[in-house]
Amino acid sequence: MKKLAFVLAGAFFGLALAKGEAISWYRMQEMFRFEGFHMFGIFMTAIPTGALGIFLLQKFKINTWQGEPVHRPEKVYHHGIVIGSFIFGFGWALTGACPGPLYVQIGSGFWVAAVVLLAALFGTWLYGRFQKYLPD
Amino acid sequence: MDFLYKPWPWYVAGPCIGLTVPLLLWIGNKRLGISATFRQICAACVPAAIPLFTYDWKKESWNLLFALGLVAGGFLGGVVFRNPDPVNISAQTVAYLQSKNVPHEPGLLPPALFNFNQLATVKGLLLLVVGGIMVGFGTRYARGCTSGHGILGLSALQWPSLLATACFFAGGIIFSALVLPWILSL
């Protein structure tokens, strides 16, 4: 049941990314060149919605299905936040895709996105392989 | 039933995307994030005794189910309810892309660039393969992507995620301004 819930949540997220054109290479070019508002509008409504959701879950002490308290997610600083993020930004401009949209693009029938996904898997593996030589 | 085929405006798509954050927390304290699935797949398929990939990946396999859902969502939005019209980007972007020999055709991605024949060209290899490697390498190095830092991290008001998102955009903006026009002209 819970497994099905994760698949359905993914389908909901994927449908919103596809119909919102957030998986579109065209939209990324427009965004990075500041020639349209669409993608900025998506970020500017998605983040407050997520923040409001977390706030309400905590305010009303709503538990998960299993009755556990909901934890506020925390992210820790390390130098990779800057270095890795720039490298990802370059790749984002090239492919027009973040990791999520890669899966959605494949579902949308762009089979060549599977090659981009394989390349991204290889990139992740390369990071793991050379992590010990890189500043954290 | 025409509206099913129309793209969603930003004020519909954005809140739906944001809603996924509390949804996953409510289902089971799960943190929205997709780049972690890349690590999962590496750990499952080619761990090669690398510390980053030697952990019990099966414990976190919820995100692989989520990724499966993403593919299904893409099929619904991009095939079943496919928008027959070209993506409605600004006239400036259309003109710029046409000047780079990227015609504005129907579909979410330009067919001129996203096809298997392109893999035999330097331009295609840079866009699809080198770009993909940078996406995988960079997101793991940053321990998160646009979903994990940009949507979830910012929703949880985490300053490292704000810095990460600023650097994602800075990287994309600088690259799009200085390097991409040159690659597209190849």
Side-chain angles (χ1 to χ4, degrees), chain A residues 68-99:
Chain A
E68 295 164 20
V70 169
H71 305 299
R72 171 184 286 276
E74 286 176 10
K75 300 277 181 177
V76 183
Y77 176 81
H78 63 117
H79 296 311
I81 288 259
V82 174
I83 312 167
S85 294
F86 264 95
I87 297 172
F88 165 50
F90 300 156
W92 188 10
L94 278 165
T95 61
C98 327

Side-chain angles (χ1 to χ4, degrees), chain A residues 24-105:
Chain A
S24 169
W25 188 86
Y26 295 111
R27 283 289 185 201
M28 297 310 128
Q29 302 307 315
E30 183 189 54
M31 170 180 76
F32 284 136
R33 299 171 58 80
F34 299 104
E35 292 173 344
F37 180 72
H38 182 85
M39 286 309 302
F40 295 104
I42 287 186
F43 279 102
M44 285 160 62
T45 47
I47 295 159
T49 306
L52 182 68
I54 295 178
F55 173 78
L56 291 176
L57 283 175
Q58 295 205 311
K59 166 104 180 156
F60 295 104
K61 300 202 165 52
I62 297 170
N63 289 340
T64 67
W65 284 5
Q66 287 71 41
E68 295 164 20
V70 169
H71 305 299
R72 171 184 286 276
E74 286 176 10
K75 300 277 181 177
V76 183
Y77 176 81
H78 63 117
H79 296 311
I81 288 259
V82 174
I83 312 167
S85 294
F86 264 95
I87 297 172
F88 165 50
F90 300 156
W92 188 10
L94 278 165
T95 61
C98 327
L102 279 179
Y103 290 105
V104 185
Q105 286 174 351

Side-chain angles (χ1 to χ4, degrees), chain B residues 100-122:
Chain B
K100 299 292 172 192
N101 286 321
V102 182
H104 191 220
E105 293 174 76
L108 289 164
L109 311 182
L113 297 176
F114 287 81
N115 65 68
F116 285 97
N117 295 334
Q118 281 292 312
L119 292 171
T121 67
V122 175

